Amino acid sequence: LGLLGGFLVGIAIAVLLETLDDTIRTSEDAEHVSHLPALAVVPQFQGVSRRESGRAGKRGQPKSVPSERTATGQQISRDLITLLEPQSLAAESFRTLRSSVLLSSVDREPRVILVSSGLAAEGKSTCAANLAISFAQRPAKVLLVDTDLRKGTIHLKFRVSNRTGLSTYLTRESDETSFTHPIPELPGLAVLPRGPVAPNPGEMLASSAIADAIKKWRSQWDYIILDTSPLLAVADTLNLVHNVDGALLVIRSGVTRKKALQRTTETLRRLDARILGTIVNGVD
């Protein structure tokens, strides 16, 4: 009787914990909640933790973040798995994502792609950077822009200067010299970091300057990847929706909650945004 009772209690606890778990863990969960296709499933891989990235951002010293070197000796973040380990499962997932994005529409190929998530620490910057690298390996001319003017980390991943960037570009304090080509083996990839923290990031992204810049970039680059702020944290990203061809939502397995994903998709749909699909990141 004790053995049977312990067995039944164990099953009850397991069912209870499963019922109380409100996080998304698989691509099936993501598709069921968001009613959007899961374009790629990215497995867990060793990268830079949020704590390490935060310490480096506060000190302003990108070299303090753990990094690796490319074949040409260029120092970059371990998060750029598509370039550092092109034969890995994670790199193949980002190539699958690239193909899924290209096949998402036959008549209207998305050229300006917005990458965002509901909340912070879900891996949107890592996914945006690796997606840009995969497009550049195609090869194609790709511009990666960090539009998170509050806490953007693209400059930390590519080990580039953040003294000038999008914030100074929009205020005309700098020109296209702010664009950097951080990876010699990918000459078609250009990166525009966020620049110094702006006092009014929301107003800058809602101005006509960013719309004019994206329109100009369309004639210069094959693809433009915009790494944005979390949608549920601040409203900055909502100002960019009407300037892009499609949006990708990053979901972190075991972290993103179902209600948060529902709110994120509902917010974008209210703005008539074209959501290409989701990226399920960090799957075990």
Side-chain angles (χ1 to χ4, degrees):
L1 290 176
L3 179 63
L4 180 60
F7 181 69
L8 294 177
V9 170
I11 292 179
I13 293 176
V15 171
L16 178 63
L17 292 176
E18 184 70 21
T19 304
L20 295 177
D21 187 5
D22 190 36
T23 60
I24 294 173
R25 295 190 176 275
T26 64
S27 59
E28 289 78 9
D29 293 341
E31 291 180 345
H32 177 72
V33 173
S34 65
H35 303 289
L36 295 168
L39 300 183
V41 176
V42 181
Q44 292 178 353
F45 63 91
Q46 185 179 7
V48 178
S49 68
R50 185 186 182 190
R51 182 178 300 177
E52 291 170 334
S53 179
R55 286 202 302 263
K58 292 179 181 178
R59 292 194 294 261
Q61 298 175 352
K63 291 184 179 180
S64 64
V65 180
S67 60
E68 298 288 345
R69 292 187 181 274
T70 64
T72 57
Q74 182 71 21
Q75 193 176 41
I76 60 175
S77 166
R78 288 201 304 252
D79 286 343
L80 306 183
I81 192 73
T82 306
L83 186 66
L84 295 174
E85 300 180 23
Q87 304 302 322
S88 63
L89 289 176
E92 184 61 32
S93 298
F94 287 113
R95 287 192 290 269
T96 301
L97 173 61
R98 177 192 64 190
S99 301
S100 299
V101 170
L102 293 176
L103 294 173
S104 61
S105 178
V106 178
D107 299 330
R108 181 184 169 192
E109 181 183 15
R111 295 184 54 206
V112 182
I113 304 168
L114 181 149
V115 181
S116 188
S117 61
L119 298 171
E122 294 182 339
K124 61 176 180 54
S125 297
T126 299
C127 290
N130 282 283
L131 178 61
I133 291 174
S134 65
F135 270 114
Q137 292 172 336
R138 198 181 177 202
K141 293 182 63 178
V142 183
L143 175 62
L144 174 62
V145 184
D146 192 347
T147 63
D148 187 351
L149 298 180
R150 301 173 188 266
K151 299 180 179 180
T153 59
I154 291 296
H155 63 287
L156 297 176
K157 298 185 184 300
F158 287 91
R159 303 296 187 268
V160 296
S161 173
N162 197 41
R163 294 180 179 177
T164 60
L166 181 62
S167 60
T168 58
Y169 183 86
L170 295 179
T171 55
R172 299 181 181 176
E173 296 178 19
S174 63
D175 52 16
E176 293 188 359
T177 55
S178 303
F179 296 24
T180 61
H181 296 269
I183 304 176
E185 51 263 57
L186 292 177
L189 174 64
V191 175
L192 180 61
R194 63 171 168 84
V197 177
N200 53 346
E203 296 179 4
M204 294 181 69
L205 296 178
S207 65
S208 59
I210 185 68
D212 295 340
I214 293 176
K215 184 177 180 180
K216 179 181 178 181
W217 296 338
R218 284 179 182 272
S219 62
Q220 298 174 338
W221 306 90
D222 298 326
Y223 300 99
I224 303 159
I225 311 295
L226 303 181
D227 177 29
T228 66
S229 306
L231 280 161
L232 299 182
V234 292
D236 299 354
T237 303
L238 303 180
N239 299 316
L240 297 171
V241 168
H242 297 295
N243 297 316
V244 303
D245 299 331
L248 293 173
L249 291 180
V250 178
I251 301 166
R252 189 162 194 89
S253 176
V255 175
T256 304
R257 295 191 174 276
K258 296 177 181 179
K259 291 184 178 180
L261 178 58
Q262 289 175 344
R263 287 180 56 196
T264 304
T265 54
E266 289 172 0
T267 301
L268 290 175
R269 284 174 175 142
R270 280 198 300 267
L271 296 174
D272 294 328
R274 182 189 177 200
I275 310 176
L276 302 177
T278 62
I279 307 168
V280 185
N281 184 37
V283 177
D284 186 357

